[in-house]
Amino acid sequence: MKRLPTSNSSVGEFLETAKRFPIPSESQTRLIFAMDATQSRKPTWDLATSLHAELFATARQEDLGVQLVYYRGSNEFHTTHWSDSASALLQTMQQVQCYAGITQISRVLSHTIREAHVSTLKALAFVGDACEEDPQMLYELAGQLALYRLPAFMFQEGHNPRVAEVFAGIAQITNGAHIPFQPGSAQQFAELLRAVAAYATGGVDALKKLRGKFTQRLLEQLQK
């Protein structure tokens, strides 16, 4: 078993029982796309808006539903309806404005746990550059995600070492991946979106069919 970034025994117990945990079934494959929409994130939000179709292009032959989740401002937390339409997601993203505030990653993880309980959710993709919350609390929530065998793909804009440690811990507990990318890089971000969509619809086998440095790093982490 992988070494956890926390000594709390409850997380270990979560992982020990994960194989026996019932997985809900539903026809549509689903992916949560979560983003930090605080003020500093506006350039990346605009970038994600311009590249949003990458979530659907790779999986265009599959029945993929995407839910946009974001937080901003003073305790604002928003989730959209599930959609299999790139144009519908674009309309939503174009209407969002980024407001100053603190991170709410714990709410993202808690929401993902609830969705995993009622639908065929295959993965969480989170994009952010900061973490102002208690890591231990986030690791506890990540342990609950592990019960559903649901990987968290933590895409970190920039290279803040504390953020990297927390994001990597969440990814490790959920058997997901932590991938830093260069701020403002459309090419890198597009590759990450294609990779997570491929995984959601086809698993590791689908990832193996894609090329790219970041895709390979993601695949290596998933196969550890």
Side-chain angles (χ1 to χ4, degrees):
M1 178 180 296
K2 296 179 181 179
R3 182 179 62 85
L4 301 180
T6 172
S7 60
N8 193 293
S9 60
S10 60
V11 175
E13 292 171 0
F14 284 143
L15 299 179
E16 287 292 339
T17 59
K19 293 183 180 180
R20 302 191 299 274
F21 201 83
I23 303 298
S25 61
E26 195 172 290
S27 59
Q28 188 183 56
T29 298
R30 292 181 170 182
L31 166 70
I32 287 180
F33 179 42
M35 289 189 66
D36 180 332
T38 54
Q39 188 61 45
S40 65
R41 308 294 300 142
K42 188 179 187 306
T44 303
W45 187 277
D46 293 341
L47 178 61
T49 300
S50 68
L51 297 172
H52 76 286
E54 300 292 339
L55 288 172
F56 298 94
T58 301
R60 59 183 178 272
Q61 302 301 324
E62 304 289 341
D63 184 21
L64 176 65
V66 175
Q67 182 185 66
L68 176 66
V69 174
Y70 63 94
Y71 56 81
R72 63 182 184 178
S74 178
N75 207 37
E76 282 191 52
F77 185 83
H78 300 273
T79 64
T80 69
H81 295 296
W82 292 101
S83 176
D84 58 4
S85 166
S87 60
L89 182 59
L90 174 62
Q91 291 178 1
T92 299
M93 297 185 74
Q94 288 176 330
Q95 295 172 0
V96 174
Q97 295 183 344
C98 295
Y99 298 145
I102 62 174
T103 63
Q104 300 180 53
I105 300 172
S106 61
R107 295 183 73 176
V108 172
L109 297 178
S110 295
H111 171 75
T112 303
I113 292 165
R114 290 191 294 271
E115 288 293 342
H117 184 66
V118 298
S119 67
T120 308
L121 186 59
K122 295 300 183 182
L124 163 67
F126 175 79
V127 183
D129 66 349
C131 179
E132 297 158 318
E133 299 160 78
D134 176 20
Q136 181 69 26
M137 174 180 62
L138 299 180
Y139 296 154
E140 290 283 350
L141 292 170
Q144 294 183 51
L145 279 182
L147 288 174
Y148 294 93
R149 299 190 286 279
L150 184 74
F153 297 96
M154 306 297 291
F155 299 144
Q156 178 190 354
E157 185 178 37
H159 301 279
N160 182 293
R162 179 185 181 277
V163 176
E165 180 180 3
V166 177
F167 281 19
I170 295 171
Q172 184 181 38
I173 291 172
T174 62
N175 292 313
H178 162 238
I179 307 291
F181 68 98
Q182 190 68 26
S185 174
Q187 181 179 359
Q188 293 176 6
F189 197 34
E191 182 183 339
L192 291 173
L193 294 181
R194 287 193 297 268
V196 74
Y199 177 85
T201 55
V204 170
D205 289 340
L207 273 181
K208 291 179 179 179
K209 298 177 182 179
L210 300 181
R211 295 184 178 182
K213 179 179 69 174
F214 290 91
T215 301
Q216 185 59 38
R217 288 176 60 185
L218 191 153
L219 185 60
E220 289 172 355
Q221 291 187 48
L222 289 173
Q223 292 182 319
K224 285 184 179 179

